[in-house]
Amino acid sequence: IALRKSNPVLSDPDRQQLRVTENTQQQTLVLHRWHEASELFCVFNFSKEPQDMSLPKSLESAWHKIFDSADAAWCGTATAPSVVAKTDAQPFTISLPPESFLIYSNNHV
């Protein structure tokens, strides 16, 4: 609840500012939300296997992790990068542990 209240993207319920991309074969889901200049994306892995996920090509800035369900703080066994950024040669790609999710924001808080 604190994360939702502290982040304007999560506290704004406007569904017109939400894009959802699913991959049934990988059993993954990407939620891209925005509010004014702030954006975030949530990536979910519902499968029992690790999944490499390519994120939307439209995401141009560096993205800072604000939540990782597989972090040791939640008794997880893996930790995602604190920052992900697209390079000219590579799109955004994240490796997600099984049955986990991540939230990244373009605003470092």
Side-chain angles (χ1 to χ4, degrees):
I1 292 176
L3 180 61
R4 181 178 51 88
K5 288 183 177 182
S6 69
N7 191 304
V9 177
L10 294 173
S11 62
D12 181 11
D14 186 355
R15 290 187 182 176
Q16 297 299 316
Q17 297 179 327
L18 169 67
R19 183 175 307 117
V20 179
T21 307
E22 50 87 19
N23 182 320
T24 54
Q25 193 171 36
Q26 282 187 305
Q27 297 179 336
T28 58
L29 183 72
V30 177
L31 302 176
H32 177 204
R33 293 189 62 154
W34 60 93
H35 176 75
E36 297 175 358
S38 298
E39 297 179 66
L40 63 79
F41 64 86
C42 307
V43 289
F44 298 85
N45 178 6
F46 296 103
S47 78
K48 297 202 181 289
E49 300 296 325
Q51 297 294 335
D52 289 332
M53 297 178 63
S54 294
L55 300 173
K57 294 177 184 176
S58 62
L59 304 178
E60 294 294 333
S61 60
W63 293 80
H64 302 270
K65 180 175 64 175
I66 60 174
F67 188 84
D68 182 351
S69 70
D71 192 84
W74 306 105
C75 300
T77 59
T79 300
S82 295
V83 177
V84 293
K86 183 171 107 175
T87 66
D88 290 337
Q90 297 291 325
F92 285 109
T93 303
I94 294 179
S95 182
L96 254 88
E99 300 175 324
S100 65
F101 74 96
L102 296 166
I103 302 175
Y104 280 91
S105 173
N106 69 338
N107 288 331
H108 184 62
V109 197

